[in-house]
């Protein structure tokens, strides 16, 4: 069945470091791909999305490119801030269900 | 535009008690979904409403869980009787119906953290 696999955390970085959180998916068809973020004490927020191959989603300095050939949607940011500390979820939606990865917790140290 | 709201934000109950969670979707969204995240694992789908009808309830864990959406507006998720393994965060999400010119993006609420003691 369809699934999402993302790198296990926690990931700990210093401020201004480069961030990559890997995400791969298995799917029948061509799902839309998403990154959601959950900041401490808050709910899930849509961070970015891509709806077809080679699309790049971007928001708040984060980027992810829909790679059909590698079935990946890796999240990147060039320079993280302490305020980026959160749990990041990769997800796919090919119909009405959204299928999530297990989440990756990011800690950014000042 | 108001987002998806959920009530309560936290609930702590004893095993065997009943709890009812409420979700108010974004106005005009006919699709409403329930998900939950248990013990830091992945967020899993529970069920999907289109207006007041259950479109897919394949993720409901057992018959102790009952979801309703009377009138096609807000939804409730009742757990009766609650068990220890029901502890987790319950998320609600909503989206437009397909064909309305919008994407299949689901907008999530802040979640209800349920603790069963």
């Amino acid at each position: 069945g369809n699934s999402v696999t993302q790198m296990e955390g926690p990931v700990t970085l210093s401020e201004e470091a480069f961030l990559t959180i890997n995400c791969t998916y298995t799917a029948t068809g061509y799902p839309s791909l998403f990154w959601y973020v959950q900041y401490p004490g808050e709910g899930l927020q849509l961070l970015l999305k891509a709806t077809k191959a080679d699309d790049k989603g971007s928001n708040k300095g984060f980027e992810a490119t829909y790679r059909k050939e590698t079935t990946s949607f890796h999240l990147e940011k060039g320079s993280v801030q302490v305020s980026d500390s959160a749990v990041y979820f990769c997800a796919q939606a090919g119909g009405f269900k959204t299928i999530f990865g297990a989440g990756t917790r990011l800690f950014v140290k000042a | 535009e108001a987002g998806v709201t959920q009530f309560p934000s936290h609930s702590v109950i004893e095993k065997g008690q009943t709890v009812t969670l409420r979700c108010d979707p974004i106005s005009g969204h006919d699709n409403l979904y329930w998900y939950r995240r248990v013990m830091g694992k992945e967020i899993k789908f529970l069920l999907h409403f289109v207006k007041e009808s259950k479109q897919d309830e394949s993720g409901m864990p057992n018959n102790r869980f009952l979801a309703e959406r009377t009138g096609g507006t807000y939804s409730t998720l009742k757990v009766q009787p609650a068990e220890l393994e029901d502890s987790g965060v319950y998320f609600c999400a909503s989206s437009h119906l397909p064909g309305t010119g919008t994407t299949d993006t689901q907008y999530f609420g802040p979640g209800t953290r349920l603790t069963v003691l």
Side-chain angles (χ1 to χ4, degrees):
Chain A
N2 294 359
S3 66
V4 174
T5 302
Q6 60 183 105
M7 62 189 289
E8 290 189 23
V11 174
T12 303
L13 296 173
S14 297
E15 209 165 24
E16 299 183 2
F18 184 85
L19 168 72
T20 300
I21 301 179
N22 290 336
C23 171
T24 57
Y25 67 92
T26 59
T28 52
Y30 303 100
S32 296
L33 301 176
F34 305 85
W35 277 98
Y36 285 87
V37 59
Q38 186 176 23
Y39 296 104
E42 299 184 16
L44 276 177
Q45 299 177 26
L46 178 64
L47 180 60
L48 54 84
K49 66 182 181 184
T51 57
K52 61 183 187 296
D54 300 325
D55 266 3
K56 178 186 283 188
S58 61
N59 186 25
K60 298 181 181 179
F62 290 89
E63 292 183 340
T65 300
Y66 191 141
R67 301 284 188 202
K68 190 175 69 171
E69 63 277 13
T70 54
T71 61
S72 65
F73 193 56
H74 304 322
L75 182 68
E76 296 182 338
K77 186 174 185 181
S79 176
V80 293
Q81 304 300 312
V82 172
S83 58
D84 294 326
S85 297
V87 181
Y88 293 81
F89 294 92
C90 184
Q92 63 162 297
F96 289 106
K97 274 182 209 180
T98 299
I99 297 169
F100 289 87
T104 302
R105 183 175 293 278
L106 171 66
F107 293 103
V108 181
K109 303 179 297 182
Chain B
E1 177 184 86
V4 176
T5 57
Q6 293 186 243
F7 182 84
S9 56
H10 293 87
S11 180
V12 180
I13 60 173
E14 300 279 340
K15 175 183 171 181
Q17 289 186 319
T18 297
V19 63
T20 300
L21 314 181
R22 173 172 169 143
C23 168
D24 286 79
I26 292 172
S27 178
H29 281 191
D30 289 321
N31 287 310
L32 188 149
Y33 312 81
W34 284 97
Y35 294 82
R36 75 172 178 178
R37 188 181 191 215
V38 174
M39 292 292 291
K41 296 183 179 177
E42 66 268 26
I43 300 167
K44 288 194 173 179
F45 169 84
L46 295 179
L47 87 160
H48 167 216
F49 284 99
V50 177
K51 298 185 180 180
E52 68 276 7
S53 300
K54 291 177 186 173
Q55 185 77 11
D56 180 354
E57 50 185 330
S58 61
M60 295 287 265
N62 51 61
N63 60 8
R64 295 185 293 103
F65 289 76
L66 175 63
E68 294 180 321
R69 193 183 182 195
T70 307
T73 54
Y74 72 90
S75 174
T76 57
L77 179 65
K78 180 190 287 188
V79 185
Q80 179 182 32
E83 298 290 344
L84 300 179
E85 63 265 25
D86 300 332
S87 297
V89 181
Y90 290 77
F91 291 102
C92 176
S94 71
S95 69
H96 282 287
L97 271 177
T100 59
T102 59
T103 68
D104 57 352
T105 301
Q106 296 178 15
Y107 297 90
F108 283 77
T112 293
R113 181 174 295 278
L114 174 64
T115 301
V116 182
L117 302 176

